[in-house]
Amino acid sequence: MSEIAIQAPTKEMTVTDDVMINMIGVHKWYGEFHVLKDINLTVHKGERIVICGPSGSGKSTMIRCINRLEEHQQGQIIVEGTELTGDLKHVEQIRKEVGMVFQHFNLFPHLSILDNLTLAPIWVRKMPKKEAEEVAMNLLERVKIPEQAKKYPGQLSGGQQQRVAIARSLCMNPKVMLFDEPTSALDPEMIKEVLDVMVELAEEGMTMMCVTHEMGFAKTVANRVIFMDEGQIIEENEPNEFFNNPQNDRTKLFLSQILSH
Amino acid sequence: MAQGVSNSNRPAKPPIWNDPVYRALFFQFLVLGGVIALGAYLISNTLDNLARQGIASGFGFLDTTAGFSILMSLIDYSEENTYGRAFFVGLFNTLLVAGIGIFFATIFGFLVGVARLSSNWLLAKMATVYIETLRNIPLLLQIFFWYFGVLRNLPAPRDSAMVMESFFLNNRGLYSPRPVFEDGFALISWAFVAAIVIIIFMAKWAHKRQEKTGQQFHTVYASIGIIIGLPSIAAVIAGFPMSWNYPELTGFNFTGGIVVIPELVSLALALSLYTATFIAEIVRSGIMAVSHGQTEASYALGIKPGVTLRKVVIPQALRVIIPPLTSQYLNLTKNSSLAAAIAYPDLVLVFGGIVLNQTGQAIEVLSITMAVYLTISLLISAFMNWYNNKMALVER
């Protein structure tokens, strides 16, 4: 995988002791297939975690459990003190506070960019339309595409669409952002513009969990890198140690494969 | 400016008989000439034949007295009226059954389509069985089933099924009381109109208020309240200026009241139930065509399932649903001409059947009838295309 130069974060990023996400002994099955095996993970406020691993290792499934796009069948997931159960009230409460960015953007193609951004604030936060539009325009400035506000998703490039998707999540003013391979569907030249936005977000102290194979991003931004294989967390370390001194054989093999070319 | 240059750079023109533009034009003129010649021959031949048989062509027959009665008419009609008026009776009957059919087929089709996607096993399977059974039985048989199999087997007028001494169901139809409007009823009508105007303004106000303050308003409940409440108050003020004309058994049949004839019921039932199966499948495919990622993205933003369906899934499903839905509306309208099989007095039976037989004006009658169906279909098409353009996606 080619590495892309990313500006090193300028500000000092702080991690607090407040627990944001707590996963305790989480298991999940797809029928007979055991996707997640005893996942234990604590994410603190302000922490930026990169999750990597071969495909089918359960990375996406794990972060999709955090806002219950997938249901876990055993164990506990607690987000900001609220436990995820079948209770729809809890699920909705958590989804309001947890933003998610998808590999394929999933923008609403029938709505303009501005309407994509204001839909959730208006219907979930009950925000007046004018205020929602002001918030949306501010965020579009932040992701550097305010001039596209009146256009439709189909008229934008992949990189622009993904930045809109990030802005759309930020409109809900989330406390955590989950990224599910946000750059995997992009052309190389567009990857950087998306990563830059993510780095900026990290500098501002956003708690982030990111499934990605962008090792450059992991090195510069992450506090912790997690390696998953066959539904388990195999190795977990701060980026320098993780890349220079991997402990597990499986991790070594994976790193040699993705960094070799 | 650079025309001279580009012209000289172009390859030499092919000979005129090899130039695609001229060749295309030549063949089109050839075909057009052929069509005109054929048309002229057919018309002159027909006129010759008509003249030989002593049939006068033209539309004058529309003004002559019809002399036959029609089982059901929405406008005043009797045997002394003209063929022209009989035409309108048939036309309105066709429009009535097509309108009823489209209305119920759409509602039922949407419900069944959504039901088939339900996670409730029983509901989904029932919807499947309904769709697979009714769409695979010929429509004519279904019309016969409802007419001969069900409604004609109801008791005779003497033994009618009765509800509250005012509704009677028998093999001649469903009889119900007819409202008779007296002086002062205008007040209620005006109250009704006022209620509609108020609701329109209220909806606008609610929309504005949500934009301004973010608060949502239960427009639907308030609307129901206003539309029932206002006319009721008006009725009280005017002292109930309305009475009912009850159907009564006189001799062998009922007189008075409103009657819904079994022919109309069976035709409307068969048309809506049959077309609803197709609409259900169209709705199902439309909803399934919206990628699951759309729902996930909406849920991930904390948007509730109901709002997700209304604001994200259905607007996208509609653009897939509308074009085939238009075809179903057109099919239903044209299929309503099967009315002739059970003697429901629609346009084809009244005009294309009785009037044609009595006058012998085959060409005039059939061309009018065909022109009517063509016009109705084109109007439906035009409306649906307009709606489709409104819903279409902007891309690039």
Side-chain angles (χ1 to χ4, degrees):
Chain A
M1 173 146 305
S2 61
E3 282 195 33
I4 285 171
I6 299 163
Q7 300 169 315
T10 46
K11 274 184 268 174
E12 192 55 45
M13 297 182 274
T14 50
V15 178
T16 62
D17 288 337
D18 304 348
V19 175
M20 190 60 110
I21 300 167
N22 204 356
M23 301 177 88
I24 306 158
V26 172
H27 288 263
K28 177 170 177 62
W29 290 264
Y30 283 130
E32 290 289 295
F33 182 55
H34 202 164
V35 220
L36 295 180
K37 298 171 187 159
D38 192 28
I39 301 286
N40 289 288
L41 181 68
T42 307
V43 181
H44 295 96
K45 209 171 186 176
E47 239 188 327
R48 298 161 304 279
I49 293 177
V50 163
I51 302 148
C52 58
S55 62
S57 59
K59 317 168 296 255
S60 291
T61 310
M62 184 178 86
I63 69 164
R64 285 161 62 86
C65 278
I66 294 170
N67 63 357
R68 211 176 174 81
L69 289 182
E70 304 282 354
E71 259 175 63
H72 60 285
Q73 281 126 8
Q74 215 181 82
Q76 279 184 302
I77 301 177
I78 298 159
V79 183
E80 260 225 311
T82 312
E83 194 188 341
L84 272 172
T85 57
D87 190 340
L88 274 180
K89 280 243 152 60
H90 288 183
V91 175
E92 271 160 24
Q93 183 56 39
I94 287 169
R95 282 176 177 168
K96 278 187 211 174
E97 310 300 337
V98 179
M100 188 168 210
V101 174
F102 299 85
Q103 180 179 357
H104 296 290
F105 332 135
N106 295 354
L107 294 178
F108 306 130
H110 61 299
L111 298 177
S112 72
I113 300 304
L114 195 60
D115 290 341
N116 261 279
L117 265 67
T118 57
L119 186 72
I122 287 174
W123 288 97
V124 181
R125 295 259 188 247
K126 315 252 183 277
M127 204 186 269
K129 192 175 178 191
K130 224 173 162 193
E131 196 185 321
E133 283 179 350
E134 276 166 21
V135 173
M137 283 313 295
N138 280 337
L139 283 165
L140 283 179
E141 303 257 359
R142 242 172 86 183
V143 298
K144 299 177 190 73
I145 35 177
E147 72 282 359
Q148 312 284 4
K150 293 285 170 224
K151 287 197 186 161
Y152 284 82
Q155 299 168 301
L156 268 54
S157 73
Q160 290 173 326
Q161 289 195 43
Q162 194 60 297
R163 284 186 281 157
V164 171
I166 294 174
R168 180 175 68 175
S169 288
L170 292 177
C171 267
M172 286 296 284
N173 204 4
K175 299 191 169 118
V176 191
M177 286 287 285
L178 308 174
F179 293 86
D180 189 0
E181 305 206 27
T183 54
S184 302
L186 296 175
D187 290 342
E189 64 212 271
M190 292 171 182
I191 292 178
K192 187 175 179 300
E193 61 186 53
V194 171
L195 289 181
D196 282 348
V197 169
M198 290 167 64
V199 171
E200 235 173 74
L201 205 57
E203 285 173 9
E204 284 158 19
M206 176 65 79
T207 313
M208 294 164 70
M209 285 182 83
C210 183
V211 174
T212 185
H213 294 135
E214 293 299 331
M215 291 304 139
F217 176 77
K219 280 177 191 163
T220 45
V221 172
N223 312 91
R224 239 196 306 169
V225 181
I226 288 173
F227 178 73
M228 285 182 76
D229 191 27
E230 295 181 340
Q232 284 169 310
I233 295 180
I234 303 249
E235 192 161 346
E236 186 178 344
N237 218 330
E238 54 100 16
N240 261 335
E241 276 294 295
F242 181 86
F243 288 111
N244 300 330
N245 189 15
Q247 303 297 311
N248 192 292
D249 288 343
R250 191 69 194 79
T251 320
K252 284 178 195 164
L253 181 68
F254 177 77
L255 286 177
S256 72
Q257 276 170 350
I258 89 167
L259 295 176
S260 64
H261 64 101
Chain B
M1 18 167 221
Q3 217 157 18
V5 182
S6 68
N7 263 348
S8 64
N9 282 348
R10 244 187 239 160
K13 279 200 165 196
I16 197 158
W17 57 88
N18 256 348
D19 187 324
V21 177
Y22 287 109
R23 206 161 48 181
L25 276 175
F26 172 72
F27 281 113
Q28 284 180 38
F29 274 115
L30 206 67
V31 171
L32 187 68
V35 169
I36 290 173
L38 185 70
Y41 168 73
L42 284 176
I43 289 172
S44 74
N45 191 24
T46 311
L47 288 177
D48 280 354
N49 285 340
L50 287 175
R52 209 171 299 148
Q53 290 176 17
I55 298 174
S57 56
F59 295 95
F61 72 95
L62 288 174
D63 290 328
T64 44
T65 308
F68 63 91
S69 64
I70 298 177
L71 184 59
M72 177 190 137
S73 65
L74 295 174
I75 51 177
D76 283 335
Y77 174 84
S78 70
E79 291 170 23
E80 288 100 54
N81 285 118
T82 60
Y83 285 127
R85 198 162 178 89
F87 163 79
F88 282 107
V89 172
L91 173 62
F92 289 142
N93 284 347
T94 287
L95 290 178
L96 176 73
V97 76
I100 295 174
I102 286 177
F103 180 76
F104 286 108
T106 308
I107 293 179
F108 199 54
F110 267 78
L111 290 178
V112 174
V114 173
R116 199 172 176 188
L117 289 172
S118 163
S119 50
N120 183 325
W121 187 87
L122 188 66
L123 194 63
K125 285 290 171 281
M126 272 166 56
T128 309
V129 169
Y130 159 70
I131 291 169
E132 293 306 341
T133 318
L134 266 78
R135 77 166 171 177
N136 290 318
I137 296 173
L139 177 57
L140 187 58
L141 279 182
Q142 295 191 34
I143 296 174
F144 283 160
F145 170 77
W146 289 112
Y147 186 60
F148 296 113
V150 179
L151 294 171
R152 288 306 293 265
N153 291 334
L154 289 171
R158 246 166 225 298
D159 312 312
S160 294
M162 184 166 57
V163 182
M164 294 186 309
E165 301 268 336
S166 41
F167 293 92
F168 301 90
L169 185 66
N170 56 50
N171 60 11
R172 303 275 180 90
L174 173 69
Y175 292 80
S176 68
R178 180 162 52 98
V180 180
F181 306 120
E182 291 158 12
D183 294 344
F185 189 78
L187 186 66
I188 298 177
S189 311
W190 283 114
F192 187 73
V193 173
I196 291 174
V197 173
I198 290 174
I199 287 169
I200 292 171
F201 276 105
M202 184 182 68
K204 280 201 174 142
W205 166 80
H207 189 75
K208 280 233 178 76
R209 191 178 76 148
Q210 190 185 350
E211 282 189 357
K212 257 197 215 121
T213 68
Q215 286 174 53
Q216 287 156 31
F217 187 74
H218 288 290
T219 319
V220 177
Y221 297 128
S223 305
I224 294 171
I226 292 173
I227 206 128
I228 294 174
L230 247 128
S232 312
I233 294 170
V236 172
I237 293 172
F240 298 101
M242 200 172 73
S243 62
W244 296 94
N245 175 351
Y246 290 93
E248 257 176 83
L249 188 64
T250 48
F252 289 112
N253 205 354
F254 283 89
T255 52
I258 296 177
V259 56
V260 183
I261 57 173
E263 287 81 4
L264 172 62
V265 177
S266 22
L267 187 63
L269 252 176
L271 281 175
S272 2
L273 289 180
Y274 177 76
T275 313
T277 61
F278 293 93
I279 294 180
E281 286 296 89
I282 290 167
V283 169
R284 184 171 73 109
S285 68
I287 291 177
M288 280 171 52
V290 179
S291 95
H292 193 54
Q294 292 288 311
T295 323
E296 281 187 347
S298 182
Y299 285 172
L301 286 164
I303 299 174
K304 289 183 180 165
V307 180
T308 300
L309 200 65
R310 245 172 51 223
K311 295 281 162 186
V312 176
V313 178
I314 289 183
Q316 293 186 60
L318 273 184
R319 77 200 150 93
V320 183
I321 291 174
I322 291 168
L325 188 64
T326 311
S327 305
Q328 290 307 323
Y329 286 172
L330 298 178
N331 275 347
L332 190 148
T333 309
K334 289 176 290 178
N335 285 342
S336 74
S337 61
L338 288 173
I342 54 167
Y344 172 75
D346 80 324
L347 185 67
V348 172
L349 181 75
V350 171
F351 199 65
I354 305 171
V355 173
L356 171 59
N357 275 335
Q358 291 195 3
T359 61
Q361 306 280 355
I363 292 170
E364 292 83 352
V365 166
L366 288 179
S367 50
I368 291 177
T369 313
M370 287 194 279
V372 166
Y373 278 99
L374 192 63
T375 311
I376 298 175
S377 295
L378 286 176
L379 284 176
I380 294 177
S381 235
F383 172 76
M384 296 300 277
N385 283 341
W386 166 80
Y387 190 59
N388 192 35
N389 283 337
K390 231 182 93 163
M391 304 301 294
L393 279 191
V394 181
E395 285 194 56
R396 249 160 274 280

